[in-house]
């Protein structure tokens, strides 16, 4: 278990927006010394609260202009079928996100393609040639209105009591 206090939450809030922020700037914004901020970040990395440090790349500039949201319905139920599809999606480089969901479909994917021809090849490989896929539905993104992977911590930072989080 790891206790997150208001300083930790403020640090997390800031580094979600810019993980290249210097310790000095972070310290001024949080109200701690830069070494204390760095210790806290290292502790949160060790506790796996901070999973990754990544760079967000502009898809259009690198030629991946098309984003498609795909809903997928499996034909057969069972752990072995589910695990097989999850492994396929993890290995598929086009798939940026894959969610196992409740509702009318079993999975929702967010995937990127250079053009519709590439998406057609993808659908044949992963859906049409897969006997366990009953159907799929595609929605082509016309405009990225909001694109964010930050977890909303603003409400938590207002709390005065530490938050205990389970870590693996």
């Amino acid at each position: 278990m790891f206790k997150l206090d208001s300083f930790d939450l403020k640090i997390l809030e800031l580094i979600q927006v810019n993980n290249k922020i210097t310790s000095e700037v972070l310290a001024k914004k949080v109200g701690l010394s830069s070494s204390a901020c760095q210790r806290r970040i290292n502790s949160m990395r060790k506790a796996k609260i901070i999973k990754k440090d990544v760079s967000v790349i502009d898809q259009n500039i690198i030629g991946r202009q098309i984003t498609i949201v795909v809903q997928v319905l499996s034909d057969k139920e069972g752990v072995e079928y589910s695990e097989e599809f999850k492994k396929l999606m993890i290995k598929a480089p086009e798939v940026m996100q894959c969610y196992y969901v409740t509702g009318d479909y079993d999975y929702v994917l967010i995937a990127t393609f250079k053009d519709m021809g590439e998406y057609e090849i993808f659908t044949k490989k992963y859906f049409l040639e897969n006997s366990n896929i009953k159907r799929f539905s595609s929605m082509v993104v016309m405009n990225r209105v909001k694109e964010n992977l930050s977890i909303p911590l603003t409400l938590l930072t207002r709390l005065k009591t530490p938050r205990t989080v389970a870590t693996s």
Side-chain angles (χ1 to χ4, degrees), residues 94-112:
E94 303 88 349
V95 177
M96 299 184 306
Q97 298 172 47
C98 176
Y99 301 99
Y100 183 50
V101 298
T102 61
D104 295 335
Y105 288 87
D106 297 315
Y107 299 93
V108 174
L109 315 174
I110 312 293
T112 180

Side-chain angles (χ1 to χ4, degrees), residues 86-96 111 122 125-126:
K86 288 176 188 176
K87 286 178 185 173
L88 281 174
M89 293 302 97
I90 288 168
K91 290 180 182 176
E94 303 88 349
V95 177
M96 299 184 306
F122 177 86
K125 179 178 179 180
Y126 292 105

Side-chain angles (χ1 to χ4, degrees), residues 16-135:
Q16 279 189 118
V17 176
N18 177 9
N19 74 346
K20 302 276 290 181
I21 190 170
T22 66
S23 296
E24 293 76 23
V25 172
L26 189 59
K28 285 179 186 170
K29 292 185 179 223
V30 173
L32 293 172
S33 69
S34 56
S35 60
C37 288
Q38 207 53 53
R39 277 194 304 275
R40 286 171 177 262
I41 290 170
N42 290 337
S43 293
M44 289 187 281
R45 280 190 179 114
K46 187 175 180 184
K48 300 203 183 331
I49 293 165
I50 299 172
K51 291 168 54 172
K52 294 181 184 179
D53 290 299
V54 300
S55 296
V56 179
I57 299 168
D58 188 317
Q59 291 173 242
N60 293 328
I61 291 174
I62 62 162
R64 308 295 293 178
Q65 290 90 346
I66 298 177
T67 300
I68 300 181
V69 179
V70 187
Q71 297 173 307
V72 181
L73 179 64
S74 302
D75 190 37
K76 303 175 194 103
E77 293 182 15
V79 174
E80 66 276 5
Y81 299 111
S82 177
E83 291 304 312
E84 180 182 320
F85 185 75
K86 288 176 188 176
K87 286 178 185 173
L88 281 174
M89 293 302 97
I90 288 168
K91 290 180 182 176
E94 303 88 349
V95 177
M96 299 184 306
Q97 298 172 47
C98 176
Y99 301 99
Y100 183 50
V101 298
T102 61
D104 295 335
Y105 288 87
D106 297 315
Y107 299 93
V108 174
L109 315 174
I110 312 293
T112 180
F113 304 92
K114 67 178 180 182
D115 56 35
M116 291 306 288
E118 187 177 79
Y119 179 60
E120 182 180 11
I121 293 166
F122 177 86
T123 61
K124 287 177 185 174
K125 179 178 179 180
Y126 292 105
F127 307 144
L128 300 174
E129 294 174 0
N130 185 333
S131 62
N132 191 39
I133 302 303
K134 187 171 189 173
R135 83 173 164 263

